[in-house]
Amino acid sequence: SEYMPGYGEGFDSLEVTAQQWMCEACLWFRWEHSGRANAMVACVYSQLDTNEFQKIMFRSKWLPELQRYATLYAKQAESENGGAENISDIWGQRVRVIDLVQK
């Protein structure tokens, strides 16, 4: 599968591989999708209702840790992408998340 940042003008497509996720940013802050994904082969697609996710997380005993993670995630995403407006829908894969949590 591939992800096309922006709306196709002047951007190279990026490969989306098995066990990769997209759009984590929408779980942690206001988010507007900034690209397009195309499946090249049959794939499994899962969707999570962000409003329901946030309602559940607000009732969690882990809320302070979740808020800390969201803050770190937003700062790291903005820093690595040269500003919030440049963050793509596929930023934040497993290696970066593990590094972020260990800070």
Side-chain angles (χ1 to χ4, degrees), residues 61-72:
K61 69 179 183 178
W62 302 107
L63 182 59
E65 287 82 2
L66 292 165
Q67 289 172 322
R68 180 176 176 267
Y69 175 81
T71 300
L72 289 169

Side-chain angles (χ1 to χ4, degrees), residues 12-85:
D12 292 330
S13 64
L14 304 168
E15 184 178 14
V16 179
T17 59
Q19 309 218 352
Q20 206 171 357
W21 62 84
M22 300 177 69
C23 308
E24 181 184 356
C26 69
L27 299 176
W28 309 117
F29 48 84
R30 186 175 296 260
W31 182 250
E32 184 174 323
H33 298 289
S34 59
R36 184 181 71 227
N38 295 314
M40 306 309 236
V41 296
C43 64
V44 175
Y45 169 79
S46 298
Q47 182 174 327
L48 179 66
D49 183 317
T50 57
N51 291 325
E52 286 301 313
F53 173 84
Q54 291 170 353
K55 286 178 191 176
I56 292 167
M57 293 303 104
F58 272 108
R59 293 190 309 260
S60 170
K61 69 179 183 178
W62 302 107
L63 182 59
E65 287 82 2
L66 292 165
Q67 289 172 322
R68 180 176 176 267
Y69 175 81
T71 300
L72 289 169
Y73 181 95
K75 287 180 181 178
Q76 189 70 24
E78 190 171 351
S79 171
E80 283 191 22
N81 291 284
E85 66 279 357

